[in-house]
Amino acid sequence: MAKDLTGKKVAFLGAGKMGSIILQALLKNGLLSPKSTFATVAHEERAQALAAKLKVKVGTNNVEAARDADIIVIGVKQQVVEDVIREIKGHITAKPLIVSVAASVPTSMIENNLSGNVPVVRAMPNTPCQLGAGMTAISKGKYASAEDIAMTCHMFDVVGRTVVVDEKHMDAVTALSASGPAYIYIILESLAEAGVKVGLPRDVATLLAAQTALGAARVVLETGDHPALLKDAVTTPAGCTIDAIMELEEGKLRVTLIKAVVKAAQRAKELAFG
Ligand SMILES: NC(=O)c1ccc[n+]([C@@H]2O[C@H](COP(=O)([O-])OP(=O)(O)OC[C@H]3O[C@@H](n4cnc5c(N)ncnc54)[C@H](OP(=O)(O)O)[C@@H]3O)[C@@H](O)[C@H]2O)c1
């Protein structure tokens, strides 16, 4: 399969929060044509609302959407994936590329529920994909080719950055970058609260906190410098920052963040389906 979505029929089974973020971005960037895109949801009224919003065919019939599709994106909740795969089994022609964004669902579970060597790719995006600032890790199943991976990267590159990892790392990815926005929002909320405590208006405090996080993240990504070196550059001897760092160390910020990610990764493993 060439790395080109032109003319490809794409079915989005489960166009909820994550599915519709990806679908919307692909349509907006012209990678998908509305004519060859078909999405599904569980509720008829949501199907109608989404169809009106995105100007694509949206229904509740997975078989109808998946039939003839070249690419099938699975965007339903983890516990529904197996039912949806069994539902479409026997109705998909040729060998479509299946791209699943479901956390804790191994590619083998999907492969084992389909007959033939259907290529399956697992993708783990995050919610900042809605602004093109997402992070998506991608891993290949047993039958997926290098072209399938390239095609999946091409789809997710429009919503941010992509990285290809071995599937054994997917629970760690889920814990770090998929759940990660929640941790960062708590940090931003706390920094804004701190700004209020030291006398700033809340909107100014939130702006300062969020733009500072964005700026620091960009410096890490664009210079490739180690975060510890960048931190040292902000820390003047006997200045203010070192006093703040002492408080962070005493409050065990580092170990708390490490333990949070470890817990989330363990939970992702516990929730594994199949
Ligand atoms: N949210 C995230 O940050 C995030 C990040 C990475 C990966 N994911 C993965 O993305 C998947 C979906 O998560 P989400 O947060 O987007 O959940 P969500 O908003 O609840 O989306 C699930 C969608 O599936 C639809 N649906 C339910 N049963 C269906 C069926 N049998 N056939 C077709 N559609 C059906 C629902 O329809 P209705 O709208 O009609 O109820 C809904 O639109 C999960 O597997 C999750 O692990 C999510």
Side-chain angles (χ1 to χ4, degrees), residues 16-18 41-43 46 62 75-78 101-103 125 127:
K17 281 188 287 295
M18 189 46 75
V41 289
H43 301 94
R46 218 184 92 70
N62 291 321
V76 292
K77 291 275 191 203
Q78 299 88 311
V101 301
T127 50

Side-chain angles (χ1 to χ4, degrees), residues 52-252:
K53 184 177 167 200
L54 301 182
K55 311 272 183 282
V56 296
K57 202 165 172 191
V58 187
T60 55
N61 188 329
N62 291 321
V63 169
E64 198 191 338
R67 188 180 289 135
D68 301 330
D70 300 300
I71 300 174
I72 299 175
V73 181
I74 306 288
V76 292
K77 291 275 191 203
Q78 299 88 311
Q79 57 275 20
V80 188
V81 175
E82 193 165 9
D83 291 345
V84 168
I85 295 296
R86 287 190 175 166
E87 198 184 335
I88 62 171
K89 180 185 177 177
H91 299 280
I92 46 179
T93 51
K95 274 189 197 154
L97 165 62
I98 310 249
V99 178
S100 164
V101 301
S104 301
V105 177
T107 50
S108 58
M109 190 272 252
I110 298 174
E111 288 158 358
N112 295 340
N113 276 289
L114 291 168
S115 29
N117 303 339
V118 176
V120 180
V121 172
R122 196 167 155 190
M124 188 45 56
N126 64 10
T127 50
C129 286
Q130 67 192 283
L131 293 181
M135 183 68 239
T136 305
I138 289 163
S139 60
K140 73 183 279 304
K142 197 153 82 176
Y143 308 115
S145 64
E147 287 77 29
D148 295 326
I149 288 289
M151 174 68 89
T152 311
C153 287
H154 181 51
M155 287 170 68
F156 285 89
D157 280 342
V158 301
V159 288
R161 293 182 185 240
T162 53
V163 64
V164 178
V165 299
D166 192 283
E167 191 170 6
K168 71 175 184 227
H169 295 308
M170 274 310 212
D171 291 333
V173 165
T174 303
L176 182 52
S177 58
S179 300
Y183 320 150
I184 304 296
Y185 295 136
I186 290 176
I187 290 171
L188 290 179
E189 190 192 356
S190 310
L191 287 174
E193 208 72 350
V196 170
K197 175 70 182 161
V198 292
L200 293 169
R202 184 169 294 277
D203 58 341
V204 174
T206 304
L207 171 68
L208 297 184
Q211 179 61 23
T212 301
L214 181 65
R218 277 191 61 189
V219 173
V220 170
L221 288 170
E222 288 175 29
T223 63
D225 287 347
H226 192 292
L229 283 179
L230 297 167
K231 180 257 300 166
D232 288 355
V234 185
T235 314
T236 315
C240 315
T241 312
I242 190 66
D243 279 6
I245 289 173
M246 278 175 63
E247 290 292 330
L248 293 177
E249 298 295 6
E250 206 168 280
K252 300 190 185 331

